[in-house]
Amino acid sequence: MPFFEVGDGTRLSYEDYGAGAPMVFVSSWVLNADMWEYQVPFFVEHGFRCVLLDRRGHGRSDRPSSGYDADTGADDLAALIEHLDLRGITLVAHSAGGGEAARYLSRHGAERVLRVAFLASTLPYLKSTEDNPEGIPEAVNEATLAQLRKDRPKWFADRAQGYFATHLGNDVSPALIEHEVRRCLSASPFATAAMFRSNFHTDFRPDLRHITIPTLVVHGVADQSAPIGVTGRRTRKMVPHAVYREYPTAGHGLYVTHAEQLNADILGFLKS
């Protein structure tokens, strides 16, 4: 599998499938390129080129001690796009990957990007502040981070059922849930904590205000990781031209539980 090197010497892994108009998939916090296994075959079969990045500290990429902020994530994404000289891109970003995609557009412009899809993204700003009262109190986030650091495997295992909203009837096998927890645990523990904190403290509202390209926002009403009232619905208001979809029975893991519906919605967005 190919690698490329960014400015600080970090080697990043990526995957490249198919031919045609390029789609660049930006993975969630702690997940890597493998999370898109229900999307890539579908879009390759529909004539698209699918490019997937393992961000630093994730998957097969190097695990440096720095670079887990949104600016570096956006710059690493830009380096991949320039390395492959991709143009006419559709960015497809899940969860914290949405912040990197939004920051990429504000830092590097949309010259190479035609459209962007935010899936269960943690936009626009998670932290509660005086001008962002809808956010989450910092003390709550720090307590959550302390639990994560104390027993990382338990933290992910305890949240797995809610991640897929299995209580709403989503059919996810115990084996698949265990597999996804292992995939989350494959990320560097240092990167896991550093990115968790950075994503919480980063205000992406200015980035969203500058998005003028076609945008798709998809969010699950039952999302426990990125509550829709804090994230998806507010993102829709900040990007009023966006195509917006809510999935009533979806949690954060909608790329698995609602893969068929999600793929169809993204394909319709690509063709619109």
Side-chain angles (χ1 to χ4, degrees):
M1 116 181 8
F3 291 82
F4 70 104
E5 189 171 303
V6 294
D8 66 356
T10 301
R11 293 176 72 247
L12 301 178
S13 168
Y14 69 94
E15 300 178 25
D16 192 348
Y17 301 97
M23 301 175 69
V24 177
F25 291 82
V26 188
S27 301
S28 172
W29 166 71
V30 301
L31 292 175
N32 53 54
D34 293 343
M35 72 169 283
W36 302 107
E37 65 177 291
Y38 297 101
Q39 282 67 53
V40 170
F42 176 88
F43 287 104
V44 168
E45 290 164 7
H46 280 81
F48 293 91
R49 179 183 179 185
C50 295
V51 177
L52 309 94
L53 175 67
D54 279 352
R55 73 167 55 80
R56 59 180 62 211
H58 293 61
R60 303 152 194 84
S61 293
D62 284 353
R63 296 180 161 201
S65 60
S66 61
Y68 300 106
D69 57 285
D71 286 352
T72 304
D75 292 348
D76 287 348
L77 179 60
L80 171 65
I81 290 170
E82 292 162 11
H83 174 72
L84 297 177
D85 194 24
L86 301 175
R87 300 178 186 274
I89 299 164
T90 296
L91 289 174
V92 180
H94 179 262
S95 191
E100 291 176 343
R103 184 59 53 89
Y104 168 87
L105 291 170
S106 65
R107 281 174 72 84
H108 299 276
E111 178 183 353
R112 293 174 178 263
V113 182
L114 288 181
R115 57 183 75 83
V116 60
F118 296 121
L119 315 178
S121 290
T122 52
L123 300 165
Y125 188 20
L126 292 178
K127 183 168 71 170
S128 176
T129 61
E130 186 173 335
D131 71 339
N132 190 52
E134 303 93 338
I136 300 166
E138 184 172 356
V140 173
N141 191 71
E142 286 300 309
T144 302
L145 180 57
Q147 293 172 356
L148 173 62
R149 283 175 159 169
K150 180 179 180 181
D151 192 335
R152 198 163 46 99
K154 182 180 186 299
W155 193 92
F156 284 108
D158 286 349
R159 288 159 177 76
Q161 298 286 343
Y163 184 85
F164 293 113
T166 56
H167 62 289
L168 296 180
N170 295 317
D171 184 17
V172 185
S173 71
L176 195 155
I177 290 174
E178 182 183 349
H179 177 68
E180 200 71 346
V181 169
R182 286 200 304 270
R183 192 142 56 193
C184 291
L185 293 171
S186 71
S188 153
F190 185 90
T192 296
M195 190 174 173
F196 184 91
R197 176 171 279 159
S198 173
N199 188 59
F200 178 78
H201 287 281
T202 304
D203 185 355
F204 294 103
R205 291 175 297 179
D207 306 282
L208 290 181
R209 292 188 185 106
H210 290 92
I211 293 179
T212 58
I213 59 175
T215 304
L216 173 67
V217 177
V218 181
H219 218 96
V221 175
D223 194 325
Q224 297 179 12
S225 302
I228 193 169
V230 178
T231 56
R233 290 174 182 164
R234 294 179 64 214
T235 299
R236 178 192 190 184
K237 291 179 181 178
M238 296 205 66
V239 190
H241 67 273
V243 177
Y244 183 68
R245 299 282 184 268
E246 286 189 5
Y247 295 174
T249 61
H252 206 54
L254 47 71
Y255 58 94
V256 173
T257 59
H258 292 66
E260 185 175 341
Q261 180 181 1
L262 179 63
N263 292 348
D265 281 342
I266 296 173
L267 183 61
F269 174 63
L270 290 168
K271 292 182 174 181
S272 64

